[in-house]
Amino acid sequence: MGIRRRLWASAAAPLALALLAATGCDSTSDAAARPTAAQSTSGAPATPVARVCARPAAGPATAPAGAVTVDPAVVGDLAAKTKSSPPNTTFWLRPGRHRLDPDRYAQVIPKEGDRYLGAPGAVLDGGKTNQYAFGGTAAHVTLRYLTVQGFVAPQNEGVVNHDSADGWVIEHATIQDNAAAGLMAGSRQQVRASCLRDNGQYGMNAYKPEGRISGLVVEGNEITGNNTGDWERRKPGCGCTGGVKFWAVNGADVRGNWVHDNRGTGLWADTNDNDFRIEDNVLEANDGAALIYEASYNAVIRKNTIRRNNWVEGRRYADREDSFPLATLYLSESGGEPRIPARTDEIEIYRNVLENNWNGITLWENADRFCNSPANTSSGDCTLLVRHPDRCVRPAIASAPLYADCRWKTQRVDIHDNRFVLDKSVVDCTVKCDRMAVLANYGTYPDWSPYQGERVAEAITGRQRNRWHDNVYVGPWKFVAHDPSQVLDFGQWQGTPYQQDAGSTFRARDGG
């Protein structure tokens, strides 16, 4: 699981844009799910769009008609009343600190259609004892206006919707200071206008042990400070952190979120995700990449503001003299695939603003990573075109159709009408923070691989329909093509044989 192929370092870009006046919205209404922000001239939001942690919406001060009232003075009252009530019950949690029984496995097991509403000041606290807050497989459960904190789920597990049940709605919630993931996800789950803050591993882990997640909506949330456990240092190469991590999700809308100051990657889609729309977000000041799209398919990434990301991880790679352009927007073995149904048959990246990040966009394909290869870090997984790893073996893998279909390919990526700005004095770097790249490694492994040598590097660079065009560059940008050794200026990047960025403009800054 995870991104664990060989990586190298990256840098990003600053910008100066005319901003429009911000438009206000009522944070206590459903409109808070899609707050309006000032827009840059590209259409991307110029100011954070979801400042919900500092001013969470208040829940009902009195119990709604027919609701079951939950008393914080009675330990275990919420779990007990849920157990004794029929499905489709509304529970209203009084103000105060609610506790479960002091057993590590004590948790609330909702019934289908149950609704949990927190009064102003209602907190469900695990006391660093309980592992899970809400579990079970009941569908269509709703949580609103409730703070959930202090739970200690094990690594890779989650506190709210622990069992990834379908159809849950989480709105105006604060899920904070928990171990592992604050929230898991099921199909058709909606997470709106919520604060996912300071959780030990992920704000949300969209993962099901069996099957795939579909129809996920993540909208208008503030996702900040997650991975307090610093898992990538504790388990190097685990690929197990992020503000949000998506695994095998088929159809997701991720819009209007403020994803910032996470220790590691902001948003990370990893292994057989498909049909994503990532739009109108502000992604800023994350230690690693703002967005990684890995071993996945078909996405639209548009109108996002991406600034001051990857300073920590990019600098770490540069300091050890690693030449890889570890990017702020990083596509690894991911591309458009018309044979897989989605709302698009490519990865289109447009009308984004990238400002003062450590590196820009890197399109990468590991020649040694394919289905059934020992170098495939998503071990046990195969591509969505093959699905069964035992088909990707000699001699069949060396011929059509398996030669193509056993690979996750970085192909059909269209990058246009973006603005890339870099001021090295802001990023505080002198080298290796200024790269835009399309490249692969020299294939060597395993010894039966049909992708050895420069085959993949030549394909990703020249034959897989990856192109930049009609972009604006401000700053001392450099470009990497084919492999890390090929560092180009703008003229070489536009010229033969690469012929990238037709219709784009480039203006270097003084002192670059």
Side-chain angles (χ1 to χ4, degrees), residues 32 77 95 147 192 211 213 285 296 298 361 368 415 438 471:
D77 197 38
T147 294
R192 289 193 166 98
I213 293 170
S296 293
N298 301 326
I361 298 175
D368 299 330
I415 301 168
V438 53
N471 298 295

Side-chain angles (χ1 to χ4, degrees), residues 233-463:
R233 283 186 179 271
R234 292 166 62 181
K235 297 186 70 172
C238 74
C240 62
T241 58
V244 180
K245 192 76 181 279
F246 305 89
W247 310 85
V249 174
N250 185 34
D253 290 295
V254 183
R255 58 184 173 244
N257 302 285
W258 184 21
V259 184
H260 66 99
D261 295 285
N262 292 286
R263 178 177 281 181
T265 302
L267 302 174
W268 190 342
D270 186 353
T271 309
N272 288 338
D273 292 292
N274 175 51
D275 194 15
F276 273 51
R277 286 192 176 179
I278 301 170
E279 57 189 356
D280 298 318
N281 302 285
V282 173
L283 312 175
E284 64 182 333
N286 297 289
D287 285 0
L291 170 64
I292 298 174
Y293 206 72
E294 178 186 3
S296 293
Y297 304 91
N298 301 326
V300 173
I301 301 166
R302 65 185 176 189
K303 297 190 293 182
N304 301 286
T305 294
I306 301 171
R307 58 196 177 204
R308 302 191 306 278
N309 295 282
N310 205 30
W311 289 13
V312 174
E313 294 188 7
R315 193 181 309 280
R316 187 179 299 146
Y317 277 83
D319 287 348
R320 68 191 192 208
E321 300 185 354
D322 198 320
S323 63
F324 186 81
L326 186 67
T328 285
L329 203 166
Y330 186 25
L331 271 63
S332 176
E333 296 87 36
S334 292
E337 177 48 74
R339 291 173 291 172
I340 297 174
R343 291 167 287 182
T344 182
D345 61 3
E346 62 182 2
I347 293 182
E348 188 177 15
I349 302 171
Y350 70 100
R351 295 183 65 188
N352 302 284
V353 173
L354 279 78
E355 171 188 3
N356 290 331
N357 301 284
W358 193 281
N359 286 332
I361 298 175
T362 288
L363 309 186
W364 160 254
E365 191 170 332
N366 184 342
D368 299 330
R369 184 185 190 186
F370 55 92
C371 177
N372 211 30
S373 168
N376 175 24
T377 55
S378 298
S379 56
D381 288 294
C382 199
T383 70
L384 292 180
L385 296 171
V386 178
R387 296 188 181 272
H388 299 292
D390 57 2
R391 293 183 59 201
C392 296
V393 295
R394 292 179 294 180
I397 193 173
S399 303
L402 293 180
Y403 180 82
D405 292 352
C406 289
R407 292 197 63 80
W408 290 273
K409 292 194 290 187
T410 302
Q411 64 178 8
R412 300 172 60 86
V413 180
D414 188 6
I415 301 168
H416 65 93
D417 293 289
N418 303 285
R419 182 174 175 89
F420 303 108
V421 187
L422 175 62
D423 183 342
K424 286 187 174 181
S425 68
V426 174
V427 182
D428 189 24
C429 73
T430 56
V431 295
K432 298 179 182 175
C433 65
D434 52 5
R435 309 298 166 91
M436 201 75 59
V438 53
L439 75 165
N441 58 322
Y442 189 90
T444 61
Y445 181 77
D447 60 7
W448 54 270
S449 168
Y451 313 108
Q452 294 187 11
E454 296 184 349
R455 295 181 184 186
V456 174
E458 291 170 355
I460 188 176
T461 307
R463 297 196 299 272

Side-chain angles (χ1 to χ4, degrees), residues 73-276:
V74 180
V75 173
D77 197 38
L78 179 60
K81 286 179 174 173
T82 297
K83 185 176 181 179
S84 63
S85 300
N88 299 301
T89 297
T90 296
F91 300 90
W92 179 72
L93 284 72
R94 290 184 182 274
R97 183 169 175 245
H98 295 255
R99 298 294 300 271
L100 302 176
D101 290 334
D103 177 274
R104 62 188 297 189
Y105 298 113
Q107 58 191 287
V108 181
I109 306 294
K111 298 182 175 72
E112 182 162 355
D114 282 351
R115 296 172 295 277
Y116 297 86
L117 305 178
V123 176
L124 180 61
D125 195 323
K128 304 299 182 184
T129 299
N130 308 118
Q131 292 188 347
Y132 316 120
F134 294 90
T137 59
H140 310 300
V141 172
T142 298
L143 273 70
R144 289 191 174 104
Y145 309 109
L146 182 62
T147 294
V148 179
Q149 65 185 33
F151 288 81
V152 287
Q155 183 192 8
N156 297 327
E157 298 186 37
V159 169
V160 174
N161 197 9
H162 169 262
D163 298 295
S164 301
D166 295 338
W168 283 40
V169 175
I170 294 93
E171 291 182 329
H172 307 294
T174 297
I175 302 174
Q176 64 184 10
D177 299 318
N178 301 287
L183 174 63
M184 300 297 285
S187 289
R188 302 176 304 284
Q189 179 162 298
Q190 300 175 42
V191 185
R192 289 193 166 98
S194 292
C195 172
L196 309 181
R197 174 171 62 186
D198 297 338
N199 295 289
Q201 190 176 357
Y202 307 106
M204 183 173 76
N205 185 13
Y207 169 74
K208 264 193 172 184
E210 301 294 334
R212 303 186 73 197
I213 293 170
S214 62
L216 181 62
V217 175
V218 182
E219 183 175 24
N221 305 286
E222 184 172 353
I223 301 164
T224 181
N226 296 290
N227 187 27
T228 59
D230 202 6
W231 279 95
E232 299 289 347
R233 283 186 179 271
R234 292 166 62 181
K235 297 186 70 172
C238 74
C240 62
T241 58
V244 180
K245 192 76 181 279
F246 305 89
W247 310 85
V249 174
N250 185 34
D253 290 295
V254 183
R255 58 184 173 244
N257 302 285
W258 184 21
V259 184
H260 66 99
D261 295 285
N262 292 286
R263 178 177 281 181
T265 302
L267 302 174
W268 190 342
D270 186 353
T271 309
N272 288 338
D273 292 292
N274 175 51
D275 194 15
F276 273 51

